[in-house]
Amino acid sequence: MNFCSKCGSDDIHLKMEQERFVRYVCKACGTIHYKNPLMVVGCLPIYEQKILLCQRGIQPCKGYWNLPAGFMEMNETVTQGALREAKEETGLDMELIRLHSIYTSRKKNQVMLHFLAKVKDLDYELNEETVAIELFDFNAIPWDQLAFQSNIFAIQNYLDSLSKNTQSLFIGDSLKEN
Ligand SMILES: [Zn+2]
């Protein structure tokens, strides 16, 4: 941070709080500029015992397969955000079943929520962000072509939950990122 977003001063100082948290403090106006993780919301779309994945047309991880997800906007709920992102990236209306996984990336400063979602029909639309949409059998997930650790986490745990016949909420985190 170079300038204070409140008063425009460049007199920004770093301060440690509880010896762990970095704070950006404006010496001119005294404002503390907190930096907190961002929320990413998305869907794990299921259609007739298959998982719907989107092929990314943009960086990062262009060409890799992704669950539809994106940053939560102000003035929306997590469920509205997940449905909006699914609609934006696939053109599809989905029906949320339940919250499936929460994944914290400390490296990216993001928290990713994935909701299990039922795809109602396959009348999808591609766009700049999504250049292909495919349904994958549970035993044919393109593991080495999946974008982001959070996707791997969500899909692996979904398949595990099917084999164990549970409906757990999966909570994970990692400092390692692909
Ligand atoms: Zn200031």
Side-chain angles (χ1 to χ4, degrees):
M1 171 172 285
N2 297 318
F3 295 96
C4 174
S5 58
K6 192 165 180 190
C7 75
S9 167
D10 63 356
D11 198 6
I12 307 290
H13 289 244
L14 289 181
K15 183 179 149 225
M16 289 298 277
E17 209 171 281
Q18 298 169 46
E19 298 179 349
R20 294 166 63 202
F21 307 117
V22 177
R23 304 295 185 218
Y24 296 82
V25 182
C26 174
K27 286 270 182 178
C29 74
T31 300
I32 302 171
H33 296 278
Y34 291 94
K35 284 168 124 17
N36 300 103
L38 291 173
M39 182 74 79
V40 175
V41 288
C43 293
L44 199 171
I46 306 295
Y47 184 83
E48 292 181 352
Q49 302 287 316
K50 291 181 169 73
I51 294 176
L52 182 148
L53 293 175
C54 306
Q55 191 172 33
R56 294 175 62 81
I58 55 170
Q59 298 293 0
C61 293
K62 186 176 177 179
Y64 283 71
W65 294 92
N66 195 22
L67 294 168
F71 290 108
M72 191 177 171
E73 298 283 357
M74 304 291 261
N75 297 313
E76 73 181 358
T77 66
V78 289
T79 50
Q80 287 169 340
L83 291 170
R84 175 185 53 74
E85 285 292 341
K87 180 81 175 176
E88 283 176 12
E89 295 184 11
T90 68
L92 296 171
D93 292 310
M94 299 186 191
E95 185 183 315
L96 299 186
I97 300 167
R98 60 184 162 80
L99 180 59
H100 165 69
S101 61
I102 303 175
Y103 185 88
T104 303
S105 167
R106 285 173 284 179
K107 190 174 172 189
K108 291 182 184 170
N109 287 313
Q110 294 172 3
V111 179
M112 292 88 161
L113 304 188
H114 280 110
F115 290 86
L116 207 55
K118 186 177 165 187
V119 179
K120 295 176 188 170
D121 62 68
L122 284 183
D123 196 14
Y124 65 78
E125 284 169 30
L126 302 178
N127 53 56
E128 187 191 359
E129 203 169 334
T130 303
V131 293
I133 286 177
E134 275 185 35
L135 297 172
F136 290 89
D137 283 317
F138 296 156
N139 60 6
I141 303 296
W143 294 109
D144 57 349
Q145 293 168 61
L146 285 182
F148 314 130
Q149 205 61 39
S150 56
N151 289 324
I152 296 171
F153 180 80
I155 296 171
Q156 269 177 347
N157 280 299
Y158 176 65
L159 299 182
D160 268 8
S161 73
L162 289 180
S163 65
K164 292 172 185 157
N165 201 22
T166 65
Q167 297 198 342
S168 303
L169 172 62
F170 296 93
I171 302 174
D173 71 294
S174 178
L175 281 169
K176 284 190 303 176
E177 296 298 337
N178 58 359

